[in-house]
Amino acid sequence: MIINKVVFYASEAAAMLGYSTHTIYHLIHTGQLQAFRDKGRKTWRIPERSIVAYLNTRMAQLDDIE
């Protein structure tokens, strides 16, 4: 059985992107990275599609610079 993870904790997203966890929280709080908290939980959860959307936005910004 193969299970693909589609929701990540901030620390996991940080490791994937090469950022610090602090930076991930900053991106969440400034609206650059969409995330949610389950009811009654303190931890942020970041859907895979949000990470992909963030990366696509960053790549588009780099294209605009060139």
Side-chain angles (χ1 to χ4, degrees):
M1 173 177 22
I2 297 174
I3 299 173
N4 291 323
K5 192 168 185 172
V6 294
V7 179
F8 300 90
Y9 292 106
S11 59
E12 295 170 325
M16 286 191 313
L17 294 171
Y19 292 169
S20 69
T21 304
H22 177 78
T23 299
I24 296 296
Y25 289 128
H26 174 75
L27 293 172
I28 291 169
H29 292 294
T30 58
Q32 297 176 67
L33 185 62
Q34 298 298 311
F36 66 91
R37 290 186 200 178
D38 289 325
K39 186 176 180 176
R41 304 284 180 159
K42 294 182 180 182
T43 57
W44 285 100
R45 305 295 305 269
I46 305 160
E48 176 186 29
R49 66 180 180 273
S50 295
I51 295 169
V52 171
Y54 171 76
L55 289 173
N56 288 336
T57 300
R58 292 289 294 148
M59 292 304 293
Q61 290 172 345
L62 291 174
D63 289 342
D64 290 343
I65 292 172
E66 296 175 348

